[in-house]
Amino acid sequence: MIGCRLRLDAGASFAGRVAEFVLMLARTGTLHTRQAYWLRLAADEITTNIAQHGYGGRGGVIDLEGGVETDRVWVRVEDDAPPFDPTRYDPAPRLAADPALREEGGYGLLLALGRLDEFVYDRVGGRNRNILVMRRTPREGE
C-alpha cells in the first residue's frame, strides 16, 4: 500500500492543496480521469463543508490521509467540528421546491458522494471521519 497525509488549517485557503493531494493519489492508483475528477470533487466538497459549516469559518484542523491499495484508492478526512453525518443529509426538500425559488447551494454532497464507489461516515474519538473510496479498474495487461 502507498499512503500519504496532509494537515490543513480550515481558516486558510486550501482547495488547491486538496486537489493536488487527491490527484497525486489518483495518478499513483491509475484511476481513470473521470474517477479522479469525482474523488477530487468529493474531497473538495467535504473539506469545504467542514471549514464553512463545521467550523463556521473560524478555523480548525482538517486531517487528510490517503492510500492506494490493490483494488482501491481512498481518502480519509477527519475533523474536530461538531458531529455531522453527510449520509443523513436530505436534499429532497430543496429538490422538491420550484427551481426558480430554490436556494443556492446544498447540492454538492448529493453530486459528489453519489459518484464515489463507497462512502463511510463515523464519529471516532470525538472526531468526524469521512472515508471516500474509488475502486481501481485494472488496465489492459495488469
Side-chain angles (χ1 to χ4, degrees):
M1 181 188 95
I2 297 169
C4 55
R5 293 179 186 205
L6 175 64
R7 177 164 270 199
L8 303 170
D9 173 357
S13 177
F14 58 77
R17 295 180 65 203
V18 172
E20 288 173 12
F21 180 84
V22 174
L23 292 176
M24 184 274 305
L25 286 167
R27 276 193 299 274
T28 302
T30 62
L31 291 181
H32 294 283
T33 303
R34 189 165 286 176
Q35 290 177 297
Y37 171 79
W38 289 114
L39 184 60
R40 185 203 52 78
L41 181 66
D44 183 63
E45 187 65 30
I46 290 289
T47 55
T48 298
N49 281 352
I50 292 167
Q52 290 180 349
H53 304 292
Y55 289 125
R58 294 180 307 275
V61 173
I62 302 173
D63 291 312
L64 278 75
E65 184 175 1
V68 176
E69 297 178 5
T70 305
D71 62 338
R72 65 193 194 136
V73 175
W74 56 271
V75 176
R76 182 170 57 218
V77 182
E78 293 188 2
D79 65 85
D80 299 309
F84 177 72
D85 181 351
T87 64
R88 296 195 184 275
Y89 172 72
D90 182 11
R94 287 178 181 269
L95 295 172
D98 182 300
L101 302 175
R102 287 183 189 164
E103 291 181 40
E104 217 175 278
Y107 305 101
L109 285 175
L110 174 69
L111 291 171
L113 301 183
R115 296 297 187 140
L116 296 172
D117 290 321
E118 186 179 338
F119 177 79
V120 177
Y121 170 82
D122 202 2
R123 184 84 177 164
V124 179
R127 302 189 91 202
N128 293 297
R129 176 180 288 169
N130 299 275
I131 302 173
L132 299 71
V133 177
M134 277 295 187
R135 296 199 200 301
R136 295 180 67 204
T137 305
R139 306 268 183 180
E140 194 173 312
E142 282 190 79

